[in-house]
């Protein structure tokens, strides 16, 4: 009987060593899922056209310098601005607002005026209300057309990808205020 008890005890010990009781569930790092389970429909390509208003002047600027450039730069290298710019249907600031560009831009070139743009386009109009897509890229402001990447989004723009083209509509040299036309080409579900 004692021999049977020892075999039983050794079996339990071997079981505990082979299968430790951690109290944790098995965690899965990644697994495939079906698109339909996330409500994803057929992907489509959309074109959006709107105007971006960067207002540095007046009592309610929408672009604020948060890091000034050093005194010895001719390109503004190192300067950074935080933005909450209106996106409108027309080039006039008084035209219908369809969203806000929220993020920052920074002068990232020592040789020319080249900005690094990081912005969420947060829409407030129609079926896109509450949806966003994110733009990241280089903006050589004195080129006629600049192209930047759409790298993602939320809401109706989940899994978004594409690009935007920016063209300066107007720029006031005295105030620094600018209106830029954006054409966005976005693949989304």
């Amino acid at each position: 009987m004692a021999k049977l008890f020892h075999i039983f005890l050794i079996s339990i010990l071997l079981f505990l060593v082979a299968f430790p009781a951690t109290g944790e569930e098995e965690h899965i790092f990644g697994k495939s899922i079906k698109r339909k389970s996330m409500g994803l429909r057929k992907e489509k390509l959309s074109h959006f056209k709107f105007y971006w208003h960067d207002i540095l002047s007046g009592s309610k600027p929408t672009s604020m310098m948060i890091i000034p450039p050093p005194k010895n730069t001719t390109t503004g290298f190192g300067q950074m601005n935080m933005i909450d710019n209106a996106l409108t249907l027309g080039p006039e600031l008084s035209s219908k607002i369809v969203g806000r560009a929220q993020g920052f831009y920074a002068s990232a070139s020592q040789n020319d005026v080249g900005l690094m743009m990081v912005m969420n386009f947060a829409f407030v109009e129609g079926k896109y209300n509450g949806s966003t897509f994110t733009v990241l890229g280089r903006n050589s402001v004195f080129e006629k057309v600049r192209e930047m990447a759409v790298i993602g989004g939320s809401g109706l723009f989940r899994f978004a990808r594409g690009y935007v083209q920016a063209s300066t509509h107007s720029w006031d040299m005295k105030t620094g205020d600018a209106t830029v036309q954006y054409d966005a080409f976005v693949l989304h579900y």
Side-chain angles (χ1 to χ4, degrees):
M1 183 69 109
K3 197 174 199 179
L4 189 59
F5 177 74
H6 287 298
I7 292 173
F8 177 71
L9 187 58
I10 290 172
S11 297
I12 289 176
L13 289 173
L14 285 174
F15 179 80
L16 290 174
V17 169
F19 306 102
T22 62
E24 295 180 21
E25 296 179 24
E26 182 179 335
H27 295 283
I28 298 172
F29 177 68
K31 65 179 181 175
S32 295
I33 57 175
K34 300 208 182 293
R35 289 179 184 217
K36 286 184 179 180
S37 71
M38 294 194 62
L40 298 178
R41 306 165 309 281
K42 185 178 177 187
E43 193 173 34
K44 60 187 162 195
L45 174 63
S46 296
H47 173 225
F48 301 92
K49 178 182 173 181
F50 46 82
Y51 292 84
W52 179 90
H53 299 272
D54 195 46
I55 309 300
L56 294 118
S57 66
S59 62
K60 290 190 173 187
T62 63
S63 179
M64 302 282 294
M65 184 188 320
I66 56 174
I67 300 174
K71 297 205 183 312
N72 63 348
T73 179
T74 58
T75 64
F77 178 69
Q79 178 178 328
M80 181 181 270
N81 282 50
M82 189 64 61
I83 63 169
D84 185 9
N85 292 346
L87 302 175
T88 63
L89 282 180
E92 301 80 23
L93 186 55
S94 60
S95 65
K96 184 175 183 147
I97 292 178
V98 295
R100 309 287 305 176
Q102 297 169 328
F104 65 89
Y105 57 82
S107 181
S109 177
Q110 292 181 342
N111 301 316
D112 62 356
V113 182
L115 303 177
M116 177 184 69
M117 308 289 290
V118 181
M119 302 178 285
N120 287 318
F121 288 159
F123 296 97
V124 296
E125 183 59 33
K127 74 177 186 177
Y128 299 105
N129 184 18
S131 296
T132 68
F133 61 79
T134 302
V135 173
L136 173 69
R138 186 175 199 278
N139 183 350
S140 297
V141 297
F142 293 122
E143 288 184 18
K144 183 175 169 114
V145 178
R146 291 86 69 190
E147 190 170 294
M148 293 164 273
V150 172
I151 61 167
S154 65
L156 291 178
F157 296 115
R158 287 183 189 140
F159 300 105
R161 64 189 192 284
Y163 67 98
V164 298
Q165 291 180 323
S167 307
T168 302
H169 180 269
S170 63
W171 177 57
D172 184 323
M173 226 168 33
K174 224 180 232 186
T175 64
D177 294 353
T179 300
V180 178
Q181 177 182 318
Y182 271 83
D183 282 280
F185 300 90
V186 183
L187 281 165
H188 62 100
Y189 291 94

